[in-house]
Amino acid sequence: MSGRADSDTDPEITGPEAAAAQDTEPDAVPDDPDDEPAEPDEEPDDADDPAEGARRARWTAAGTGAALTLAGLAAALLRLNRHAPALVPAAYAGGAAVCAGAAVLGARGRTRRALWLLIAGVMVMALGDQFD
């Protein structure tokens, strides 16, 4: 026993007529008319374009960096108004500065470095949250 699920053996194919007969299955499901191949004059999908993927990564890194920068600055300003240790708003502001650098790197196409800077900036802000 081979243990394979498809262990049924097919008859031996000896000629081209037998091969053509075996290729046609009576149980085969007909193709849907909606699954027709694309016309040659249609635009190709943008998802397959590597330049489009890089563009999305740049916009994502820049946008996320800008959003985290604003969040860090807002948290730093809120903590300045309350009675908190000076280290707390400084940590939020420092994390916001790191995230701003990540936004700049992301806009320039250095998305991997921007991702690591975003992680570092959020960790610095989380450290400020722990001091609070």
Side-chain angles (χ1 to χ4, degrees):
M1 296 191 73
S2 68
R4 293 184 348 186
D6 59 344
S7 62
D8 295 337
T9 58
D10 292 327
E12 190 173 311
I13 300 172
T14 57
E17 297 87 21
Q22 189 172 355
D23 287 343
T24 59
E25 296 179 14
D27 298 335
V29 178
D31 293 336
D32 287 337
D34 297 335
D35 293 341
E36 295 176 6
E39 295 293 323
D41 60 327
E42 290 182 12
E43 293 292 322
D45 289 338
D46 288 338
D48 296 337
D49 187 18
E52 181 67 25
R55 190 173 304 118
R56 284 185 194 152
R58 283 195 307 268
W59 278 103
T60 302
T64 305
L68 286 173
T69 300
L70 291 176
L73 289 176
L77 290 175
L78 285 174
R79 298 298 188 256
L80 277 176
N81 291 335
R82 295 183 182 173
H83 298 292
L87 191 57
V88 174
Y92 280 114
V98 172
C99 288
V104 170
L105 282 179
R108 292 185 180 177
R110 306 288 186 184
T111 54
R112 185 176 296 156
R113 291 180 183 143
L115 173 65
W116 286 110
L117 276 180
L118 287 172
I119 292 169
V122 169
M123 287 176 66
V124 169
M125 287 191 251
L127 193 64
D129 191 42
Q130 287 295 316
F131 290 142
D132 192 13

